[in-house]
Amino acid sequence: MTEKITKNLALELYRKMVLCRKFEEKVAELVNKNEIYGTTHEYVGEEAVAVGVCSALRNNDLITSTHRGHGHIISKGGDIRYMFAELLGRVNGCNKGKGGSMHIADPGIGILGANGIVGAGVPIAVGAALTIKIKKMDNVVISFFGDGASNQGVVHEAMNMASIWNLPVIFVCENNQYAVSTSVKYSLKIENISERSKAYGFEGKTIDGMDVLEVYNNTKEIVNKVRSENKPFLLECKTYRYSGHFTAEKILNLNYRTEDEINYYKSKCPILSFSTKILNDGICTKKELDDIDNLVINQIDEAVDFARKSKSPEPSDALKDMYATEYTGIPQKGWI
Amino acid sequence: MTEKITKNLALELYRKMVLCRKFEEKVAELVNKNEIYGTTHEYVGEEAVAVGVCSALRNNDLITSTHRGHGHIISKGGDIRYMFAELLGRVNGCNKGKGGSMHIADPGIGILGANGIVGAGVPIAVGAALTIKIKKMDNVVISFFGDGASNQGVVHEAMNMASIWNLPVIFVCENNQYAVSTSVKYSLKIENISERSKAYGFEGKTIDGMDVLEVYNNTKEIVNKVRSENKPFLLECKTYRYSGHFTAEKILNLNYRTEDEINYYKSKCPILSFSTKILNDGICTKKELDDIDNLVINQIDEAVDFARKSKSPEPSDALKDMYATEYTGIPQKGWI
Amino acid sequence: MRNIYYLKAVSEALFNEMEINPDVVVIGEDVRYSLRGITKGFIDIFGPDRVIDTPISEAGLTGVGTGAALSGLRPVLEFQICEFIFFAFDQLVDQAQKLRYMSGGKLKAPVTYLIASSGARGGMAGQHSDNPYPYLLHSGMKTVMPSTPYDAKGLLVSAIRDDDPVAVFLPVNSLGTKGDVPEEQYTIPLGKGEIKKEGKDITVVSTGHLVKIALETAEELESSGISVEVYDPRTLLPLDRELLFKSVKKTGRVIVFDDSNRTCGFAAEVSAIISEECFTYLKSPVRRITRADVPIPFNAQMESFVLPDKEKLIKVILKNF
Amino acid sequence: MRNIYYLKAVSEALFNEMEINPDVVVIGEDVRYSLRGITKGFIDIFGPDRVIDTPISEAGLTGVGTGAALSGLRPVLEFQICEFIFFAFDQLVDQAQKLRYMSGGKLKAPVTYLIASSGARGGMAGQHSDNPYPYLLHSGMKTVMPSTPYDAKGLLVSAIRDDDPVAVFLPVNSLGTKGDVPEEQYTIPLGKGEIKKEGKDITVVSTGHLVKIALETAEELESSGISVEVYDPRTLLPLDRELLFKSVKKTGRVIVFDDSNRTCGFAAEVSAIISEECFTYLKSPVRRITRADVPIPFNAQMESFVLPDKEKLIKVILKNF
Ligand SMILES: Cc1ncc(C[n+]2csc(CCOP(=O)(O)OP(=O)(O)O)c2C)c(N)n1
Ligand SMILES: Cc1ncc(C[n+]2csc(CCOP(=O)(O)OP(=O)(O)O)c2C)c(N)n1
Ligand SMILES: [Mg+2]
Ligand SMILES: [Mg+2]
């Protein structure tokens, strides 16, 4: 946190982080009440990454997201009303209730989709960067992926292609140190995943992903570099998830992390540390932050309300949206 | 070529290289005469790699090979009579005529199979190394693969697993600088593929793959290291193929390499340079080398003869060998 | 006999095989802490050399399984989610499944793929709800899908002892069901189906968790005077054709009730072989009830709409008379 | 009209689309120097931004194709060998094919997979001889397999212009055949089959290079007084059911003559739907002639043994009377 920031930016970063956090808390609540069907992967603890990265982007910059994607979508400008509607399976959800938590897509604001398959979004991001290059546009693509995903073969392939084709893509590795129960200490023999960029001949950097300003400033710089030099970049953000791998993990009692470890990272909460910092620096007042908190809480309540009031799709809508160019006879129903 | 070598070793390395070369020349001849069905990928020019590596191994060390595998098989001790029989599709071929050029397997001498799919053998090698570790044996596994294969996702995955599990496997990258028509200058942004080992936390090295002694000595050293330290190693051998990607490439007129380039590498022929060297060093006489040449030529003629005289399988043998534990009804024929 | 959970029966089968045979090892994602519950506590008994966590590298770890099998181990690979198969597809259908044949019988790959939960589990949507066994059937891979705890234990043991790659699909909707299972280790041979209920009027070929639904349906229809025979192939490949044909020849009517995609699915194969072998016995066309050919949608009502269920089964059965 | 090679017709279709539409790019292994011959010379006309060589990274490049398609290009991916599909399988069936649906119709992936040569090419053995389209059919992917140069050109154009992923399989045994092909660009709609020869007694549903063999067979059997109708679906999904059913209802006898694996293959699907829809018209069981369910063996005689051919077709036709 070396650079000075404007009040506007500070409040905006704060607001977005709180929005991500409260959103997830509400989601977990609704999952536990079975109001949200299935389960979700919460982003709690990692807010500084999505918010820091996405706040440094333009609207027409693109992202691909992951199974743990709510934070990315919100930070990139997703409307939480349609997100909640999606999570409640409603017809005006972002995906008309077809996708749920892991598939929120919104090309209008540059979201090319989340992904339930670990690592699979990374080459898709590279493909979008290829479009940018071929069409001589000047936006960039961000591909979020986890520490676990870094060992997936397609990620290797995608990074190499991005490098040899000089594509404007930033690979953002959210290293929260675990893939479900598997620690990076087990799955990797290197300290920093960002070192892997050297294997493809481009630059990488590891930063503190609990510090939103560090993430924001680095992203700004890297985006400029990538835009002007047309080279990919691998940015690793070390972070931590406070919840289980997914909402219901607790009941499984997996115990792969110690309470001490979890508490240590909770003490470095990205929201708390940032608010403390901007208060101490006199950038804003306690009241201003409280107002934001209240605003966010209201916004979430309204969004949930909006979602609850939204219509459910017709069951038979399940056979729609499969093909963009339609033909009779497909998709086949399962019975006649 | 710094170290002294014994006469026995020198003659053996020479003999094997000549055997590989003459074998391939005969194979190409037979493919062109349609006596061998299909096409093959010749190893001509790259002999120093297979011979150097495999001569440093024990009989019970294991290898996985590639589509360009004849040299590996021969160097690991494959019997060329059964190899030719296989290439002629005979019942006493190594694979009973079922596999052909790209699938020669012989577990008895540590050959876990060649592979028609680029990169696919690499994790299989790692699995064999896992067996070695779990069963507390002391052999090692060599996985041959090409520069092209290095960009395949499974190779990345396999190397990482070998590293975190401390497995006795040596990844031997035969960098002949092309994957079909695609130059490494295009497909990679790094100078040496061996640098990639760092991405997984183990050692790598790039050596001159046209120099059989350099390959042999390095492999010896690395095998010892891998055996004692239980760590994988990535050995990159820079080499060159003199022929087209496969036997029939010439008629396609792809012209992705210049005549100059090909001639330059031909001038560095691994066989010629090695024989010159051992003659100059007084390790052996011209006559001794000539005798080997003749021996090899005879051996090949006999092997071809053997293969030609071998029986063809019954067409219906095609339905055998599919399952080790058999059940009625499978495999299904295609008609009833 | 004890009444235990399906999941427990699976766990027990694997545990016992690991006890008996030191070559049996389990390899997969999160098997030490046992996210899926099958290998719970195994690490304490068998240690990290035999309970092996992998990074998220499905193609690679499947290749590792093959290499381990070729060289003397008998690995059981746990596939945490069934879509795993897609990343590992080359290693499954083009490597493990083909190596023996291409080597002329010289290589042998005794590996078991334990697909720890297959099918729609409610709200997991398009990428966590598939039932991808037809992809493997098409490659000729031996494939098992036990419908009861008893079958699960006996079939898994057979799969592990089989000298070829065998895929074992555990239907997510069966994991929480209970049934009688002997304490001791036993086997059910691959390729042996079972008539789970005898009937006279119509044969329902049902798989996995749908067997239970077929049985319930059969009971319900008893009162309407329709006698339903429920055939459970248990092993999808090799398929117990004899038992199937016997049933079809008796009833003359067949419905294939299967929860995989329709086009080129398991039901298509069963329909085709019945046509070929029992043509003159058929009183009505072989009918298929399958998934619709769409990814599973998230919304619960849409999800039900595309999945095979009792309502659809009853409707189609009644249509056949 | 010119009489040109199948390969040339394919090349022309692609070339013209690239000329007309700057969003069409070709991506694949060795497409600059054109190992497969389809893109020969393209690099000189369209440059390296539109004729894009990839490293050997099939999963990755397929994902790249998807991403490019989602963001405004219309990529044609050349799959150098058909087993490519296996490495790319997740990106094909779990990504490209599902993304639109899972996004509720928000995403669109207009990408064409040009499987540059599919099937057994003589002596290439177990890993270079597959005909893996049933794997894609099962996922619901639109799939085309043109049997003539004319069909190849028209169908490839439709595939490229289609807004969904479409797989186009070029049978390796058809690439060197010739036929009449108009100079100008034209389309053949997906989902429209063709009766390649009318007949009265039996319908042979044939695909890819087998269409030619079916036609030869039909001619040969004319003298024996058997009138064979040859139906070529051209598009495997969507399938032209109407035309198929019309033919079957006319002849009452069907053989499906298809060069993919038998179990859960294309022939199984065709057999199943004919049973469902034409049951009362059938005079004899629907019969399948397919590959045997083994990898293709290397030896030429064994290779022939497991592949569908004229001899087998004649034998099975005669059996039906
Ligand atoms: C290909 C694939 N393998 C396994 C899974 C199951 N799975 C879902 S999330 C996850 C862990 C991912 O770890 P990481 O990439 O670090 O992301 P994180 O969950 O920590 O955000 C696993 C194994 C999956 N969805 N896809
Ligand atoms: C997965 C896969 N992709 C593509 C091919 C087609 N192909 C066969 S060999 C080859 C080039 C391999 O290059 P490299 O690994 O450098 O080995 P080399 O041929 O140079 O020995 C290609 C693209 C294949 N067999 N398998
Ligand atoms: Mg993680
Ligand atoms: Mg090479």
Side-chain angles (χ1 to χ4, degrees), chain A residues 146-148 174-180 241:
Chain A
D147 48 287
E174 303 185 295
N175 182 353
N176 63 8
Q177 305 173 53
Y178 290 88
V180 193
R241 69 169 148 75

Side-chain angles (χ1 to χ4, degrees), chain B residues 41-101:
Chain B
H41 305 83
E42 284 89 22
Y43 198 65
V44 179
E46 311 186 25
E47 295 87 354
V49 182
V51 171
V53 167
C54 291
S55 302
L57 301 180
R58 299 184 193 159
N59 187 53
N60 71 343
D61 289 330
L62 302 170
I63 70 166
T64 63
S65 173
T66 67
H67 59 287
R68 197 177 302 288
H70 302 163
H72 310 141
I73 312 294
I74 292 173
S75 306
K76 189 64 176 63
D79 186 326
I80 66 165
R81 287 178 306 159
Y82 302 117
M83 290 174 72
F84 273 120
E86 183 61 29
L87 293 173
L88 295 188
R90 302 308 160 98
V91 76
N92 61 356
C94 330
N95 304 15
K96 301 189 192 161
K98 286 212 166 70
S101 166

Side-chain angles (χ1 to χ4, degrees), chain C residues 24 42 51 53 56 60 83 102 104 109 118 121 144 158 219 242 261 275-277 299 318:
Chain C
V24 179
F42 282 30
V51 182
D53 262 0
I56 304 181
E83 286 77 9
M102 296 188 305
S118 190
R121 69 205 61 205
V144 176
S158 292
E219 200 168 313
E242 300 321 313
N261 281 5
S275 289
E276 278 154 6
E277 306 280 358
N299 167 285
L318 294 179

Side-chain angles (χ1 to χ4, degrees), chain A residues 106-306:
Chain A
D106 197 343
I109 51 171
I111 298 163
L112 290 182
N115 215 306
I117 300 302
V118 172
V122 181
I124 295 175
V126 172
L130 183 66
T131 301
I132 291 173
K133 180 188 171 191
I134 292 178
K135 295 202 166 213
K136 302 191 178 12
M137 302 185 293
D138 74 341
N139 46 340
V140 302
V141 188
I142 303 285
S143 184
F144 291 103
F145 65 105
D147 48 287
S150 72
N151 297 317
Q152 193 68 280
V154 279
V155 173
H156 166 80
E157 299 180 356
M159 288 190 183
N160 188 56
M161 285 187 274
S163 181
I164 65 169
W165 293 334
N166 302 314
L167 299 184
V169 53
I170 303 167
F171 302 100
V172 176
C173 181
E174 303 185 295
N175 182 353
N176 63 8
Q177 305 173 53
Y178 290 88
V180 193
S181 72
T182 309
S183 161
V184 289
K185 294 197 188 95
Y186 177 87
S187 63
L188 292 166
K189 272 244 167 141
I190 53 174
E191 194 58 39
N192 294 319
I193 294 170
S194 67
E195 292 167 35
R196 289 199 171 158
S197 66
K198 295 201 200 92
Y200 314 106
F202 60 89
E203 264 182 272
K205 186 174 182 183
T206 297
I207 63 172
D208 179 2
M210 303 300 268
D211 180 341
V212 69
L213 215 47
E214 178 159 342
V215 177
Y216 174 83
N217 286 331
N218 273 287
T219 307
K220 269 271 172 215
E221 199 179 307
I222 293 164
V223 167
N224 283 336
K225 204 179 165 85
V226 163
R227 255 194 250 280
S228 59
E229 296 176 17
N230 272 320
K231 267 186 201 166
F233 197 98
L234 171 52
L235 177 65
E236 177 185 19
C237 303
K238 295 238 163 137
T239 179
Y240 201 79
R241 69 169 148 75
Y242 292 168
S243 350
H245 173 68
F246 55 94
T247 327
E249 191 202 285
K250 225 179 216 152
I251 48 167
L252 297 179
N253 245 317
L254 303 181
N255 295 325
Y256 53 87
R257 310 188 294 186
T258 63
E259 281 303 318
D260 279 359
E261 182 182 291
I262 298 173
N263 287 332
Y264 168 75
Y265 283 102
K266 282 194 175 165
S267 78
K268 300 181 66 175
C269 170
I271 300 179
L272 194 66
S273 61
F274 184 63
S275 61
T276 309
K277 150 98 184 152
I278 55 180
L279 285 175
N280 286 348
D281 288 2
I283 292 175
C284 63
T285 66
K286 180 82 174 57
K287 163 110 186 20
E288 285 169 323
L289 298 184
D290 289 347
D291 285 350
I292 287 178
D293 291 355
N294 290 328
L295 221 73
V296 164
I297 289 168
N298 280 339
Q299 192 191 347
I300 284 175
D301 287 344
E302 273 168 35
V304 172
D305 205 46
F306 169 88

